[in-house]
Amino acid sequence: MNFPNWMTPDNLVQVFLGFSQEVVLSSSLELSPDNSKTMTGTITLRNMSEVQKLLEVDEFSFSEGNAFPVESTRRVAIDTHFHGLTVIAGGDDSKLDIIAIHGLNGHAFNSWTVDDGVMWLRDLLPAQVPDARVLLYGYNANVIEDASRSRIQEHARLFIKFLQGLAEIQKRRVIFICHSLGGLVLKQALVFIRNEKVYSTLRDVALGVIFLGTPHGGSAHADIAQVLVNFTTISFRANANQLLSDIKKDSASLMDLAHSFKEFHSELKIASFCEQLSMKLPGPFSTDLGLVVDQRSATIADEPPIPVNCDHVTIAKYANASDVVFQLVVREVKRMAMGIVTSMPL
């Protein structure tokens, strides 16, 4: 939306106070990735009933001194899906881009957010990497509700389209932070970029990749579909979803992807984090599923793994800046950014 010059993050919070008194945080207002006059800010609401009420409003107008619907040509559009690229921190003069890609059955914003509303990519990381712009990438990886038939290759090509739009207007290197399936989508995208001339302008975009519980060799569970079904009352046929087939342990598609990526991954700065805690299903039975992605699967050959005291979900969620895993991730970001951003000592 095209904000007037008086609009600030604090004013944006005031807009939403009409819906809820429990506004938690607001991000800075930043230009959209396509460099249009549209700007984006994010709001977190604690009360789910208030969130539902907010979702009933598609968009509304505002004017200075009036945070409620009025006659105006300036409008605020509300979006909870975060599909595509969304800037959540950093300005247009940033020297580096950090793009976060969520995993299987994930959400571009919620996958990185703890229960009390802290979204570390927005609320913690910018203070540690002040010269970087932080973006989210959202795509439909919801195998429970939508039973998407898209494969990793299709998700990768869609991501490249958004990356092309970014590269056409911004000449920045990118550090990718990928959780679970997001790492496979990125690897496939980088393979396409490397091997197909049509993407030649993107070959030098990637600076480094942080993999968080990415199943390079597939899931350690024999039937990941059943794991997902256990989290929900909805059931579905596992063979209806191509993503689930793609990420089965030692699947042919994963082996082919690993081989193709190995041909050039040494040109990238890589950090692979692997979970050390079992995943436990919520509920009265508290089923212990073991490691969703074991260390062997979470590690790229020749790259030493970084084992952390997390399960497959919490490996991507940090509540505060003193979190040990957050500090390790920040250390890797700074290591990768050396030479491009000089104001971030290790």
Side-chain angles (χ1 to χ4, degrees), residues 325-339:
V325 184
F326 170 73
Q327 293 177 357
L328 289 173
V329 170
V330 168
R331 184 191 69 181
E332 293 303 319
V333 169
K334 291 182 176 181
R335 175 181 68 85
M336 294 176 183
M338 288 183 66

Side-chain angles (χ1 to χ4, degrees), residues 48 64 66 76 87 101 153 192 194 197 253 262 287 314-315 328 338:
M48 287 306 298
E64 186 171 7
N66 189 335
V76 174
V87 180
I101 309 175
Q153 293 87 343
F192 286 148
R194 178 78 177 190
K197 290 182 179 180
S253 61
K262 185 178 181 180
T287 306
T314 58
I315 198 171
L328 289 173
M338 288 183 66

